[in-house]
Structure formats: C-alpha cells, structure tokens
Short mmCIF file of all heavy atoms in Angstrom, two decimals:
data_model
loop_
_atom_site.label_atom_id
_atom_site.label_comp_id
_atom_site.label_asym_id
_atom_site.label_seq_id
_atom_site.Cartn_x
_atom_site.Cartn_y
_atom_site.Cartn_z
N ILE A 10 63.16 -30.37 74.69
CA ILE A 10 62.48 -31.32 74.03
C ILE A 10 61.81 -30.51 72.79
O ILE A 10 61.40 -29.36 72.96
CB ILE A 10 61.34 -31.97 74.84
CG1 ILE A 10 61.98 -32.89 75.89
CG2 ILE A 10 60.40 -32.75 73.95
CD1 ILE A 10 61.00 -33.67 76.78
N SER A 11 61.73 -31.03 71.63
CA SER A 11 61.16 -30.43 70.50
C SER A 11 60.16 -31.29 69.63
O SER A 11 60.10 -32.50 69.90
CB SER A 11 62.36 -30.05 69.58
OG SER A 11 63.05 -31.28 69.03
N ILE A 12 59.54 -30.47 68.92
CA ILE A 12 58.53 -31.23 67.88
C ILE A 12 59.23 -30.91 66.52
O ILE A 12 59.33 -29.70 66.17
CB ILE A 12 57.22 -30.73 67.93
CG1 ILE A 12 56.59 -31.20 69.33
CG2 ILE A 12 56.41 -31.54 66.81
CD1 ILE A 12 55.14 -30.76 69.41
N ARG A 13 59.70 -31.91 65.73
CA ARG A 13 60.32 -31.70 64.51
C ARG A 13 59.31 -31.34 63.37
O ARG A 13 58.19 -31.41 63.54
CB ARG A 13 61.05 -32.98 64.10
CG ARG A 13 62.12 -33.38 65.20
CD ARG A 13 63.05 -34.43 64.70
NE ARG A 13 62.32 -35.56 64.00
CZ ARG A 13 62.37 -36.78 64.40
NH1 ARG A 13 63.27 -37.11 65.53
NH2 ARG A 13 61.81 -37.76 63.88
N ILE A 14 59.87 -31.07 62.23
CA ILE A 14 59.03 -30.71 61.04
C ILE A 14 58.12 -31.91 60.70
O ILE A 14 57.00 -31.80 60.14
CB ILE A 14 59.78 -30.15 59.92
CG1 ILE A 14 60.38 -28.84 60.20
CG2 ILE A 14 59.03 -30.15 58.70
CD1 ILE A 14 61.13 -28.24 59.03
N ASP A 15 58.68 -33.15 60.91
CA ASP A 15 57.93 -34.37 60.61
C ASP A 15 56.93 -34.73 61.66
O ASP A 15 56.19 -35.70 61.48
CB ASP A 15 58.83 -35.48 60.40
CG ASP A 15 59.67 -35.91 61.68
OD1 ASP A 15 59.41 -35.33 62.75
OD2 ASP A 15 60.46 -36.88 61.46
N GLY A 16 56.79 -33.82 62.68
CA GLY A 16 55.75 -34.08 63.80
C GLY A 16 56.19 -35.00 64.91
O GLY A 16 55.40 -35.09 65.84
N MET A 17 57.38 -35.46 64.87
CA MET A 17 57.82 -36.43 65.95
C MET A 17 58.60 -35.69 67.08
O MET A 17 59.26 -34.76 66.72
CB MET A 17 58.68 -37.50 65.41
CG MET A 17 58.04 -38.28 64.22
SD MET A 17 56.66 -39.17 64.73
CE MET A 17 57.37 -40.28 65.95
N LYS A 18 58.49 -36.07 68.23
CA LYS A 18 59.05 -35.46 69.35
C LYS A 18 60.60 -35.97 69.45
O LYS A 18 60.79 -37.14 69.12
CB LYS A 18 58.33 -35.81 70.76
CG LYS A 18 57.10 -35.09 70.88
CD LYS A 18 56.66 -35.01 72.45
CE LYS A 18 56.27 -36.41 72.82
NZ LYS A 18 55.73 -36.58 74.10
N GLU A 19 61.31 -35.23 69.98
CA GLU A 19 62.76 -35.48 70.18
C GLU A 19 63.37 -34.69 71.37
O GLU A 19 63.12 -33.56 71.55
CB GLU A 19 63.52 -34.97 68.84
CG GLU A 19 64.96 -35.24 69.04
CD GLU A 19 65.79 -34.59 67.77
OE1 GLU A 19 65.11 -34.19 66.86
OE2 GLU A 19 67.02 -34.60 67.87
N VAL A 20 64.17 -35.54 72.20
CA VAL A 20 64.84 -34.94 73.34
C VAL A 20 66.13 -34.44 72.77
O VAL A 20 66.97 -35.08 72.14
CB VAL A 20 65.07 -35.89 74.30
CG1 VAL A 20 65.93 -35.28 75.55
CG2 VAL A 20 63.88 -36.52 75.08
N MET A 21 66.27 -33.13 72.69
CA MET A 21 67.57 -32.46 71.98
C MET A 21 68.79 -32.55 72.87
O MET A 21 69.81 -32.60 72.47
CB MET A 21 67.20 -31.10 71.71
CG MET A 21 65.90 -30.87 70.82
SD MET A 21 65.43 -29.21 70.51
CE MET A 21 66.71 -28.62 69.36
N GLY A 22 68.52 -32.48 74.16
CA GLY A 22 69.69 -32.44 75.28
C GLY A 22 69.22 -32.40 76.60
O GLY A 22 68.24 -31.98 76.92
N MET A 23 70.16 -32.79 77.53
CA MET A 23 69.97 -32.71 78.87
C MET A 23 71.34 -32.27 79.48
O MET A 23 72.36 -32.98 79.36
CB MET A 23 69.51 -34.09 79.56
CG MET A 23 68.16 -34.59 79.09
SD MET A 23 67.78 -36.11 79.87
CE MET A 23 68.97 -37.23 79.32
N TYR A 24 71.33 -31.17 80.13
CA TYR A 24 72.56 -30.51 80.63
C TYR A 24 72.45 -30.26 82.09
O TYR A 24 71.50 -29.73 82.74
CB TYR A 24 72.75 -29.20 79.96
CG TYR A 24 72.74 -29.19 78.50
CD1 TYR A 24 71.46 -29.24 77.77
CD2 TYR A 24 73.86 -29.17 77.73
CE1 TYR A 24 71.36 -29.17 76.37
CE2 TYR A 24 73.83 -29.16 76.38
CZ TYR A 24 72.60 -29.22 75.74
OH TYR A 24 72.51 -29.18 74.36
N ILE A 25 73.49 -30.83 82.81
CA ILE A 25 73.67 -30.67 84.23
C ILE A 25 74.40 -29.35 84.60
O ILE A 25 75.56 -29.19 84.07
CB ILE A 25 74.32 -31.83 84.95
CG1 ILE A 25 73.51 -33.11 84.62
CG2 ILE A 25 74.44 -31.80 86.49
CD1 ILE A 25 74.15 -34.47 85.14
N GLY A 26 73.84 -28.56 85.39
CA GLY A 26 74.46 -27.34 85.82
C GLY A 26 74.11 -26.91 87.19
O GLY A 26 73.47 -27.68 87.91
N GLY A 27 74.33 -25.63 87.55
CA GLY A 27 74.04 -25.14 88.79
C GLY A 27 72.52 -24.86 88.99
O GLY A 27 71.86 -25.37 88.24
N ASN A 28 72.12 -24.02 89.96
CA ASN A 28 70.75 -23.68 90.08
C ASN A 28 70.28 -23.09 88.88
O ASN A 28 70.97 -22.31 88.15
CB ASN A 28 70.53 -22.80 91.29
CG ASN A 28 70.76 -23.49 92.64
OD1 ASN A 28 70.48 -24.72 92.67
ND2 ASN A 28 71.11 -22.69 93.69
N GLU A 29 68.97 -23.22 88.57
CA GLU A 29 68.41 -22.76 87.24
C GLU A 29 68.57 -21.28 87.11
O GLU A 29 68.15 -20.57 88.10
CB GLU A 29 66.81 -23.27 87.14
CG GLU A 29 66.37 -22.94 85.85
CD GLU A 29 64.87 -23.28 85.72
OE1 GLU A 29 64.37 -23.79 86.74
OE2 GLU A 29 64.31 -23.25 84.63
N SER A 30 69.02 -20.81 85.96
CA SER A 30 69.24 -19.50 85.74
C SER A 30 69.20 -19.18 84.17
O SER A 30 69.45 -20.17 83.48
CB SER A 30 70.57 -18.98 86.26
OG SER A 30 71.75 -19.51 85.58
N ALA A 31 68.85 -17.94 84.04
CA ALA A 31 68.68 -17.54 82.55
C ALA A 31 70.10 -17.58 81.88
O ALA A 31 70.31 -17.92 80.64
CB ALA A 31 68.13 -16.12 82.41
N LYS A 32 71.15 -17.32 82.69
CA LYS A 32 72.55 -17.45 82.14
C LYS A 32 72.98 -18.80 81.74
O LYS A 32 73.51 -18.93 80.71
CB LYS A 32 73.60 -16.83 83.21
CG LYS A 32 74.94 -16.76 82.82
CD LYS A 32 75.86 -16.28 83.88
CE LYS A 32 77.35 -16.24 83.26
NZ LYS A 32 78.30 -15.80 84.41
N TYR A 33 72.53 -19.79 82.45
CA TYR A 33 72.89 -21.23 82.18
C TYR A 33 72.04 -21.59 80.88
O TYR A 33 72.53 -22.18 80.01
CB TYR A 33 72.71 -22.09 83.24
CG TYR A 33 73.42 -23.34 82.91
CD1 TYR A 33 74.74 -23.57 83.44
CD2 TYR A 33 72.92 -24.37 82.17
CE1 TYR A 33 75.43 -24.70 83.10
CE2 TYR A 33 73.69 -25.56 81.93
CZ TYR A 33 74.92 -25.76 82.29
OH TYR A 33 75.55 -26.88 82.25
N TRP A 34 70.82 -21.05 80.81
CA TRP A 34 69.92 -21.38 79.69
C TRP A 34 70.52 -20.90 78.41
O TRP A 34 70.50 -21.32 77.28
CB TRP A 34 68.59 -20.86 79.79
CG TRP A 34 67.54 -21.82 80.49
CD1 TRP A 34 67.03 -21.62 81.70
CD2 TRP A 34 67.27 -23.08 80.08
NE1 TRP A 34 66.33 -22.66 82.11
CE2 TRP A 34 66.43 -23.64 81.12
CE3 TRP A 34 67.46 -23.92 78.88
CZ2 TRP A 34 65.84 -24.93 81.08
CZ3 TRP A 34 66.94 -25.18 79.00
CH2 TRP A 34 66.12 -25.66 79.93
N LEU A 35 71.17 -19.66 78.51
CA LEU A 35 71.90 -18.99 77.34
C LEU A 35 72.98 -20.06 76.85
O LEU A 35 73.07 -20.19 75.63
CB LEU A 35 72.47 -17.71 77.78
CG LEU A 35 73.25 -16.89 76.67
CD1 LEU A 35 72.31 -16.57 75.48
CD2 LEU A 35 73.93 -15.64 77.22
N GLY A 36 73.68 -20.59 77.78
CA GLY A 36 74.63 -21.51 77.30
C GLY A 36 74.16 -22.76 76.62
O GLY A 36 74.61 -23.40 75.69
N VAL A 37 72.98 -23.28 77.10
CA VAL A 37 72.30 -24.38 76.55
C VAL A 37 71.89 -23.99 75.06
O VAL A 37 72.05 -24.90 74.17
CB VAL A 37 71.07 -24.85 77.32
CG1 VAL A 37 70.27 -25.78 76.58
CG2 VAL A 37 71.49 -25.42 78.71
N LEU A 38 71.30 -22.95 74.99
CA LEU A 38 70.85 -22.46 73.65
C LEU A 38 71.95 -22.42 72.60
O LEU A 38 71.87 -22.71 71.37
CB LEU A 38 70.11 -21.14 73.73
CG LEU A 38 68.67 -21.25 74.49
CD1 LEU A 38 68.17 -19.91 74.90
CD2 LEU A 38 67.61 -21.97 73.61
N ASN A 39 73.04 -21.83 73.16
CA ASN A 39 74.26 -21.63 72.28
C ASN A 39 74.79 -22.99 71.79
O ASN A 39 75.34 -23.24 70.76
CB ASN A 39 75.25 -20.84 72.94
CG ASN A 39 75.08 -19.33 72.87
OD1 ASN A 39 74.79 -18.90 71.70
ND2 ASN A 39 75.21 -18.54 73.84
N ASP A 40 74.68 -24.04 72.80
CA ASP A 40 75.16 -25.37 72.41
C ASP A 40 74.26 -26.02 71.25
O ASP A 40 74.70 -26.60 70.31
CB ASP A 40 75.21 -26.23 73.64
CG ASP A 40 75.62 -27.58 73.29
OD1 ASP A 40 76.81 -27.89 73.15
OD2 ASP A 40 74.77 -28.59 73.26
N LEU A 41 72.87 -25.79 71.40
CA LEU A 41 72.00 -26.15 70.37
C LEU A 41 72.32 -25.66 69.13
O LEU A 41 72.22 -26.29 67.96
CB LEU A 41 70.55 -25.90 70.87
CG LEU A 41 70.03 -26.68 72.09
CD1 LEU A 41 68.57 -26.19 72.39
CD2 LEU A 41 70.11 -28.18 71.97
#
C-alpha cells in the first residue's frame, strides 16, 4: 500500500505466495 504524491492512498498489489520470506518480497518489489 502506498501514499502517492497527491496524498491519496493506493493498494499497489496483493501477491499470493508461500510462507512470508525476504526472498519472496524481493520478487514483489521487482514486479512493482
């Protein structure tokens, strides 16, 4: 979830994966 430059909130994405890990977050960030 983000706050844009105009001040409005935005859900950028929701990704279903395995158990939470830094490795999967890396994939999410690369997708963004």
Side-chain angles (χ1 to χ4, degrees):
I10 292 179
S11 65
I12 298 179
R13 305 190 307 242
I14 288 180
D15 62 4
M17 303 303 293
K18 283 195 299 182
E19 176 184 353
V20 180
M21 304 169 77
M23 298 186 292
Y24 305 81
I25 300 175
N28 288 331
E29 186 177 7
S30 67
K32 181 179 179 180
Y33 198 93
W34 274 118
L35 180 63
V37 169
L38 292 163
N39 277 317
D40 181 75
L41 296 177

